[in-house]
Every structure is written in C-alpha cells, then in structure tokens.
Amino acid sequence: MSDSEDYEYEYDESDQEAMDAGSNGGGGDDEDASFEYTDDEDNADNNNDGGGEVALENAYYNAKTERDNDEFDGARETFESVVTMEVEQNKKAAGVDNDDDNGDNTMMDVESTNDNNLGAGATPLKYHGPWSYKAIKQLVKLHLRSMDDKSAVKDYERMLRVACSHDAKISPNAMEKGVNNMLDRVASLINNSGSDDDATKLASLAQSIYDATLKAFHPTTGLSPNQRLWFKTNLKYGQLLYEMNETSKLQLVIRDLLQSSGQPTDILEGTTTSNTTSNTASSSISSQSQTSVMEIAALQIQLYSRLKDTKKLRATYHRAMSVRGGVPHPRTLALIQELGGKMHMSQRNFDEASQAFFQAFKSYDEAGDRSRLRCLNYLVMASMLHASSINPFDSHEARAHRDDPEIVAMTNLVQAFHNDDIKSFEKILNKNEGRIMDDEFVREHVADLLRTIRTQVIMRTIGPYTKIRLGRISKSLNDIPVEDVESLLVSLILDGKLNGRIDQVNGVLVKQSQGADASSMPGGSSASDKPSEKNVGSVESRNTASIQRLTKALEHLTTAVSNAGPQRMM
C-alpha cells in the first residue's frame, strides 16, 4: 500500500461508512504509518483540497464543542475563523490575492456598516463555501440564544448571501431546510416569550428575519429567485402574524399571496359576490396550483374568524371547500374544516358543524396532530346541541380515543347527555373535569348545552302528565329557579315543541291535546298560526312565527287583564 493510499484511508475514516469498511482491513502498522504520514506532511499539503477540508471540519466541530460547553465567546471566534479560513483557501485556489479584493464584496461583512445587506445592489458573497454557510448559521443561533437581535439579523442576512452564492454549492433542499429551521426557531422564541418587552423585541426581530428571507428569494428581484421558498416563507410569516394578532400586516401578506397565485384580491374588501367569487376561483384553479388556493384560504379563514367577518369567512370557506384536485397538507385541510365548523356553530347549524368537525378530526388524526382531540371535543358538543341520538364515539375513528385522558371527561359528558342525567352533566361542567371549561369555544356554548339537556329532561318529565307543577319540573332539573323553568317552557311553547299553557297563579303547566280547539291556544291562535312543516326546518321562519304567537299572546293577556280590572273593583 502506498503512502497516498494510507493518507486517503486515514482521512476517510472520519466518515461512518469508511469507518465500517475500514474495520475489516488494515493492521496496526498501517494505521501507525498513516498517522505518521499525516503528522509529517500536514503542513506541506494543507493547501490541498483534502487537507484544507480536514482543517475546516476540525475547526467547525471544535467550535460546536465550545458552544456545547457554554463557551459562547470562544465558539463565536472559532466559527468566524472557519469562515475566514475557507474564504482564504477559496481565494488562493482561484488565484486571487487576499489583500486585493478588486472592489468585490467578497469577505465576511462582519464589519460592514450597511444596515440593509439585502437592499438594493446586494450581491451573493463570493469565495464562501459550505463550511462558511454552516458556521454562519451557528452564529445566528448563538445570537438568538443571547437575544442579540442586531447581530442575529446581520449574520442571518450574511447567511442568505452565502446560500445564494454559486461558490457555496448549497443544494436547494439544504438551503430550504436551513431557512425553514431558522424561521421556526424565531417563531418558537416569540411564542415562548415572557415579558412584553421581550415580545416587542422579538416581533421586530421576526419582521427583519422574514423581510430578509422574502427579499432574498423573491421570484423576480431576489438574489436567488425561488418561487416555492418565497411562497412558503410568506405562509409562515402570515401564520406568525396571526398568532401575534397583527391583522393589518396579515392582510398585506394575504394580498401578496393572492396576487402571486393569480387569485382575485377584491374579496379582501368584500366587493366580490358569492357567485363571482366562485366563478373566478374556478377559472383561476386551472392556471395555478389548487394546493396553493387551499393554503392561502387557511390563512384567510383564520383572519376573518379573528375579525368576526362572517360574510368573508363564509365566502372563503365555501370557495376553499369547492376546490378539487389539490393535495394540501392534512393539517391545512383540518384547519379550514375546524374553523368552518365554528362558523356553522355561530349560525346554529349544528348538523353541518358536526360534519365539519368530524372531517377536521380525521384530517388532524391523519397528520398525527394532537389537535384532533380538541376537534373531537367540538364534535361531541355540536352533536349534543344538535340533539342527535347518535353517539359520536360510536364511529370507528373516534372510538380509539374515547379512553384518552383528555377525552374521558367529554365521554362521560355525552353519556350523561344521552341518559338525561342532568345532575352528572352539571357536575362534570362545574368541576371542570378534564379541563373542559378551559377552552374558550366550549365556554361560549355551555349555556346552549345546559338549555338543550334541560329541554330534554323537561319533555321526558312532563310526558305522562296533563298537568304538572312547576316546582316538580324544577326538582327534576336539579332544583333550578322556577323562573328559569318558566323561561324554558315559554321557549318550548313558542317553538311549537309543547302544546300547553302556564298557570302562573297556581304554578302549574297545563298541557293541551293535539286535537284541542285552536281558540284555547294562548292568544287565541288559529291553526293557521302554527308553523308549517316547511317552516319548522328554518331557524328564521321559526323565530318569525314564534314572535307572531308571542305578540298575540301578549295581546290576549292585555285584554284579559283589562276585563278583569272592573270585576275586581265591583
């Protein structure tokens, strides 16, 4: 074996595959010879590609060791030395004198006074290689750890200029992964920030980081135009702005995304009608990615949900759900379906809300996201408000989670609901078992849940009787005030679910048979005043009919009181 072969064998041992291969050959004498060769000739051949690569690698991992030992100042200096060393090596290989830059901005930019390194006239950094890219990326992480925002932004911009350079030979996948990891790191810092001062400082840092990324990869004006990475970065930025409640900036990001994908932006001003929006979306889908439509719609739906803009929310939701052929991430689809379910809940369309939450639950489950449990809770709640006799946990997908600690309380709640066990139902809510009441969306509908189960208990309690005391009904409802019982009974009567009248003087509910004379109904209502079967299915129609019956009942009561007045005076 020649000296040259000994050297190659010794160097390749740093790679795991070469180590595995080397374990089967070579004796102790060969290893001694290779190490002796390296020691004797290292200085002479250090400028060769192999020797220079080893020196860069050793310096880089020495810096990481210093970082792991909390020697941050030393780690920064060593990482910078990696950049300097590689630039010098690459310049020498290119025949460029280190003392003569020929006016090119080729060095590290550490001492640059330009605050906007990615502004007009910015160029990729020459002579920087992959080790420079890795070292600068580690420097950014160190600056983020020490909350040195100015240094973090400056070195991040330097990292982007290196990544955009052909000399660095950074693969598109490695570049995208590095950028995404850095953006995720910044977002994580913001989400975990403690004080308001830190949050404000990190918000400014995030904006600078995202602005630099968007400038570097802009499809037309960037240092390294990259439509896909620019689009993904905008989506990440939009999500971060939503979490920071920066709705004004989020609208600008959505506008850029819509324009880049060829979609209409007039829906942001609310000037697009439903039909026009649907037709425009259909025509644009054929010329751009359906997946992009879904991803942008997810941001829009979050925005309009936060702004409580029901009109735009409904239009965007239906446009997103009408897209065919797109393959968005299951989490994106789940987010759209979850917020669509909440929209249906706000409109009291509990059946459609149940379907949307079930689809969201399945999508989250497919993505392996723990948010599936939240959607399962919402599904159970919507099912109860719909007064459905079907237990959501009877489905194959939900059954697997019924014993999950976060779901057990909701399982018990739905069981008490179907058994009309109002005492257990209220006990679970009052004790906040499973932290059910910690969810703001659940809290918003607790009153509706209680009203629904109390209505069921009332109907079951009064079933066998033609007359029943309000106190008896109150007792069956876990001793709620009689006034609340009267309110529930009035709602049932006005909704046409109960045919009867309330004797407030004696505290009695008097039920009337279905064949009773119409004139005996409250307010002298005729049969024609009853809501038709068609109207029963419409919330607006039922409300209108209930108001009409209430008006006539009040008129009847006023007449009765007026007639009774003179009799009492006699």
Side-chain angles (χ1 to χ4, degrees):
M1 182 177 291
S2 68
D3 289 344
S4 177
E5 290 173 334
D6 285 344
Y7 175 78
E8 290 295 329
Y9 175 79
E10 189 272 341
Y11 170 67
D12 288 344
E13 262 192 273
S14 63
D15 184 79
Q16 185 63 42
E17 294 180 0
M19 289 177 66
D20 294 339
S23 63
N24 296 325
D29 293 338
D30 292 335
E31 292 179 2
D32 292 340
S34 70
F35 278 108
E36 182 179 354
Y37 174 87
T38 301
D39 292 336
D40 292 340
E41 304 295 337
D42 183 71
N43 292 332
D45 292 344
N46 190 50
N47 291 330
N48 295 339
D49 291 341
E53 188 77 10
V54 171
L56 289 170
E57 183 177 12
N58 289 339
Y60 176 77
Y61 285 106
N62 286 339
K64 292 190 72 173
T65 300
E66 292 175 336
R67 180 204 63 187
D68 295 339
N69 293 333
D70 294 338
E71 301 173 9
F72 300 131
D73 292 338
R76 290 189 186 94
E77 293 178 2
T78 308
F79 280 129
E80 288 289 2
S81 71
V82 172
V83 181
T84 304
M85 191 185 310
E86 187 169 42
V87 169
E88 290 176 349
Q89 289 180 13
N90 290 339
K91 278 191 165 187
K92 189 169 186 179
V96 177
D97 189 353
N98 284 324
D99 296 331
D100 184 10
D101 294 338
N102 295 324
D104 290 335
N105 189 14
T106 58
M107 288 305 289
M108 295 170 289
D109 282 357
V110 177
E111 305 299 333
S112 173
T113 58
N114 183 9
D115 292 334
N116 188 7
N117 290 333
L118 287 175
T123 58
L125 291 176
K126 296 181 180 180
Y127 308 119
H128 291 66
W131 290 108
S132 297
Y133 174 74
K134 293 179 181 179
I136 297 173
K137 184 166 63 173
Q138 294 297 330
L139 284 171
V140 177
K141 293 179 181 179
L142 286 173
H143 295 321
L144 291 176
R145 177 182 291 188
S146 61
M147 293 293 289
D148 186 352
D149 54 337
K150 292 184 178 179
S151 297
V153 172
K154 176 178 278 189
D155 275 335
Y156 180 73
E157 291 178 342
R158 182 160 62 121
M159 184 192 87
L160 292 177
R161 294 178 66 190
V162 172
C164 295
S165 172
H166 295 294
D167 293 344
K169 298 179 182 178
I170 307 299
S171 69
N173 288 338
M175 181 168 58
E176 183 171 344
K177 181 180 178 181
V179 169
N180 285 333
N181 287 342
M182 201 63 69
L183 297 179
D184 290 340
R185 185 180 291 266
V186 172
S188 177
L189 287 174
I190 292 178
N191 293 332
N192 297 326
S193 61
S195 64
D196 293 339
D197 291 339
D198 287 344
T200 302
K201 185 176 182 180
L202 287 170
S204 176
L205 169 65
Q207 183 170 352
S208 299
I209 293 290
Y210 275 94
D211 285 346
T213 308
L214 293 172
K215 288 178 182 177
F217 302 110
H218 192 278
T220 57
T221 62
L223 293 178
S224 177
N226 189 322
Q227 169 69 28
R228 182 176 184 275
L229 186 52
W230 180 86
F231 185 84
K232 293 294 184 182
T233 300
N234 254 323
L235 287 177
K236 283 180 175 288
Y237 189 33
Q239 187 63 40
L240 181 62
L241 290 173
Y242 171 77
E243 294 170 358
M244 294 168 58
N245 200 25
E246 295 280 356
T247 55
S248 299
K249 294 180 180 178
L250 176 55
Q251 292 185 60
L252 297 177
V253 171
I254 291 176
R255 185 185 300 277
D256 289 341
L257 288 169
L258 290 172
Q259 290 175 344
S260 70
S261 60
Q263 296 185 68
T265 59
D266 50 356
I267 190 173
L268 290 171
E269 286 77 29
T271 58
T272 303
T273 62
S274 299
N275 293 335
T276 304
T277 302
S278 178
N279 294 336
T280 306
S282 299
S283 62
S284 62
I285 286 174
S286 60
S287 61
Q288 53 88 41
S289 170
Q290 293 92 334
T291 302
S292 299
V293 176
M294 299 288 284
E295 290 173 332
I296 298 173
L299 268 183
Q300 288 182 275
I301 289 174
Q302 290 182 90
L303 170 64
Y304 301 142
S305 179
R306 174 70 57 81
L307 297 177
K308 299 187 182 302
D309 192 331
T310 306
K311 180 181 178 181
K312 296 178 185 177
L313 174 61
R314 187 187 303 111
T316 306
Y317 173 73
H318 289 304
R319 188 174 74 254
M321 298 310 295
S322 66
V323 174
R324 296 293 180 268
V327 189
H329 192 283
R331 191 177 289 108
T332 300
L333 187 59
L335 180 61
I336 294 174
Q337 292 162 334
E338 179 185 355
L339 293 177
K342 290 183 177 181
M343 177 192 71
H344 290 309
M345 288 284 284
S346 66
Q347 298 170 350
R348 306 188 68 79
N349 295 328
F350 300 127
D351 186 23
E352 295 181 20
S354 299
Q355 298 176 29
F357 285 137
F358 183 62
Q359 294 301 321
F361 162 72
K362 292 199 298 182
S363 296
Y364 276 131
D365 197 31
E366 181 182 351
D369 195 315
R370 292 287 294 177
S371 298
R372 62 177 177 265
L373 299 180
R374 181 181 68 241
C375 271
L376 187 55
N377 283 336
Y378 295 165
L379 167 62
V380 172
M381 183 174 64
S383 177
M384 288 188 290
L385 289 173
H386 183 50
S388 173
S389 59
I390 301 175
N391 190 331
F393 292 104
D394 289 340
S395 67
H396 173 73
E397 295 86 354
R399 190 182 303 120
H401 301 282
R402 67 184 308 159
D403 295 327
D404 190 287
E406 296 184 28
I407 295 297
V408 169
M410 190 61 76
T411 305
N412 296 334
L413 193 70
V414 73
Q415 184 175 357
F417 178 85
H418 286 294
N419 294 335
D420 290 338
D421 186 354
I422 192 168
K423 291 185 178 180
S424 298
F425 191 91
E426 292 185 350
K427 180 180 178 182
I428 293 172
L429 292 179
N430 292 335
K431 287 189 174 182
N432 193 21
E433 293 185 12
R435 306 182 68 86
I436 295 176
M437 299 295 289
D438 290 354
D439 192 306
E440 181 181 358
F441 184 67
V442 172
R443 289 199 305 270
E444 291 177 359
H445 293 84
V446 165
D448 289 333
L449 283 174
L450 288 173
R451 192 175 194 84
T452 301
I453 190 172
R454 285 171 178 172
T455 299
Q456 291 182 178
V457 173
I458 286 178
M459 298 303 291
R460 186 197 62 183
T461 302
I462 67 177
Y465 305 101
T466 56
K467 290 184 180 182
I468 183 172
R469 292 190 175 277
L470 301 185
R472 170 69 179 82
I473 301 176
S474 172
K475 187 175 181 181
S476 67
L477 295 177
N478 207 14
D479 294 322
I480 66 172
V482 174
E483 291 79 7
D484 293 345
V485 175
E486 289 183 2
S487 176
L488 290 169
L489 291 173
V490 169
S491 297
L492 288 171
I493 293 172
L494 294 177
D495 288 341
K497 297 179 181 178
L498 174 61
N499 188 12
R501 61 184 179 84
I502 301 174
D503 184 349
Q504 290 183 308
V505 175
N506 298 314
V508 174
L509 169 67
V510 180
K511 291 173 60 180
Q512 297 174 341
S513 62
Q514 294 294 330
D517 183 71
S519 61
S520 63
M521 295 177 63
S525 302
S526 63
S528 61
D529 293 326
K530 296 182 180 180
S532 64
E533 293 298 326
K534 179 178 180 181
N535 287 338
V536 170
S538 169
V539 175
E540 292 80 2
S541 300
R542 290 206 310 271
N543 289 341
T544 302
S546 298
I547 292 173
Q548 292 175 349
R549 290 196 298 274
L550 176 61
T551 302
K552 292 186 178 182
L554 291 174
E555 292 175 351
H556 175 73
L557 180 62
T558 302
T559 303
V561 171
S562 300
N563 294 336
Q567 296 178 2
R568 290 182 179 179
M569 294 176 61
M570 291 177 62

